[in-house]
Amino acid sequence: MTQATSLRRGWTTGSCATAAAKAAWSLLMTGDCPDPVTISLPGGKEAAFALDGSGRNGGSAWASVIKDAGDDPDVTHGALITVHVEAAPAESGVIFRAGEGVGTITQPGLPLPPGEPAINPVPRAMIRAALEQITPGPVDACVTISIANGEKLAERTLNARLGILGGLSVLGTTGVVIPYSCSAWIHSIHRGVDVARALALPHIAGSTGATSENAIRKLYGLSDSALIEMGDFAGGFLKYLRRHSVPRLTIAGGLAKMTKLAQGHLDLHSSRSLADPQALERLAAPLRLSKAQIDRLKDAQTIAQGYAALDDERLGELIAQRAARIARETLDDPGCQLDVVIFDRQGTMIGRSAVS
């Protein structure tokens, strides 16, 4: 989004955990705890973080950082991230553990195997590099990351559906949070597909919201792991599936967003694509609209009003068919069966394409 360029950027959970780990390791190894502490980001730049607290207790030390996500509406903005470190046996390498508020992976398909703490590969690499800045050479350390209130915050994410239980994930690929980039949502979409593929699910469904998700769950009897909350990111979802094929795919959504898809829009957000009621006239051409229907459509201000004005139940099927054609072209995977299902605000099906 263009507005992101004028908004303040923030730091990923992985960057905050790296800063806390480096400060704690420095305190343990040298007796000195830098504040602020400077870390290297994956792109080569450096960033400094102020500590919220630090301490040492015998053979272990800890430091904490309060996450600043900038102007992004990140659920972890303001969260207290604490890292405890202690020396590990020789040749152990860096061992990562999930403290309170950090989840554990329980399903296959994610970048790390089941049983591992949900600390992603890039943050792990950042932490290893940061510790080596304090003690050059291979580091043997046990690093435990905790996020205050993380288990409660995780209820506002898709972690449970991805099989990450007990708390949040420590994420970040660049170390920087770009406001309203929706990178966390897109990350969840990709990981949801990965989990479904690892579980060898024969059929998955991407939905635009809660109503369509609940409706498609009931229609096809799908499990939680088969349901991907794609939101407005139909294009990103389909393009990822182009490279990570599944046997069968359903796209489910409300009338307005599926009309946008039928118009050829792959980003369904209201600020980035418009649902034009007049587009219904083109989509409904096979119905041979009467002059009275066309006249009523001209007065429509929304897709819902236009749909009601045309008053033909066959229109939902035509929209679904056209949306399925756009989705099929974007997916570009002849081996995947695909259909589109449209629901109204009450979750009643009003359009459905054939499975192709």
Side-chain angles (χ1 to χ4, degrees), residues 31-51:
D32 176 54
C33 186
D35 187 7
V37 57
T38 300
I39 66 168
S40 298
L41 301 176
K45 294 184 179 181
E46 293 189 334
F49 294 77
L51 300 182

Side-chain angles (χ1 to χ4, degrees), residues 78-130:
L80 180 67
I81 300 169
T82 302
V83 179
H84 286 80
V85 298
E86 57 185 324
E91 299 184 4
S92 297
V94 179
I95 302 167
F96 292 93
R97 291 178 179 168
E100 184 177 355
V102 172
T104 298
I105 297 168
T106 65
Q107 291 187 160
L110 296 174
L112 297 162
E116 281 289 313
I119 304 167
N120 273 25
V122 171
R124 290 185 184 218
M126 291 174 65
I127 291 171
R128 289 190 190 96

Side-chain angles (χ1 to χ4, degrees), residues 17-91:
T18 299
K22 183 177 181 180
W25 188 245
S26 177
L27 179 58
L28 183 64
M29 293 290 105
T30 71
D32 176 54
C33 186
D35 187 7
V37 57
T38 300
I39 66 168
S40 298
L41 301 176
K45 294 184 179 181
E46 293 189 334
F49 294 77
L51 300 182
D52 182 70
S54 62
R56 181 174 179 175
N57 182 16
S60 67
W62 64 273
S64 59
V65 170
I66 294 177
K67 178 172 177 177
D68 179 3
D71 290 324
D72 194 69
D74 190 315
V75 298
T76 57
H77 177 68
L80 180 67
I81 300 169
T82 302
V83 179
H84 286 80
V85 298
E86 57 185 324
E91 299 184 4

Side-chain angles (χ1 to χ4, degrees), residues 237-245 329-333:
F237 179 51
L238 290 165
K239 290 172 185 176
Y240 190 74
L241 286 167
R242 183 192 299 167
R243 305 189 305 273
H244 304 83
S245 182
E329 292 172 356
T330 307
L331 180 64
D332 192 25
D333 180 2

